[in-house]
């Protein structure tokens, strides 16, 4: 399971929406993340967040996008 978090990161366990840009790894959540845009993003103010899966088994890949989401 991959959680697409509105604050600019992907998380593999839980569903924290923290935006405290602390050190990685950390003993508190979020942890175990990929953080390309880790910030206090505001998708309700504009832009969009989306994901899509491409390909067919066993050659699938997954893309996440944060596009023009203001911070």
């Amino acid at each position: 399971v991959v959680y697409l978090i509105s604050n600019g990161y992907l998380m593999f366990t839980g569903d924290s929406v923290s935006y405290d840009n602390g050190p990685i790894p950390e003993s508190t959540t979020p942890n175990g993340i990929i953080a390309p845009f880790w910030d206090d993003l505001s998708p309700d103010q504009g832009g969009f967040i989306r994901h899509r899966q491409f390909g067919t088994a066993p050659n699938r890949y997954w893309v996440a996008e944060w596009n023009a989401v203001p911070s």
Side-chain angles (χ1 to χ4, degrees), residues 4 37 48-52 62-69:
L4 178 60
F37 299 109
F48 58 87
I49 300 169
R50 64 183 174 188
H51 62 90
R52 187 167 175 194
W62 189 82
V63 176
E65 178 181 10
W66 293 263
N67 189 310
V69 179

Side-chain angles (χ1 to χ4, degrees), residues 53-62:
Q53 178 176 293
F54 298 92
T56 56
N59 299 307
R60 291 187 179 137
Y61 61 99
W62 189 82

Side-chain angles (χ1 to χ4, degrees), residues 11-36:
M11 189 171 196
F12 300 97
T13 59
D15 57 358
S16 171
V17 293
S18 175
Y19 58 86
D20 179 19
N21 301 33
I24 302 172
E26 177 59 62
S27 60
T28 61
T29 59
N31 204 357
I33 63 174
I34 297 173

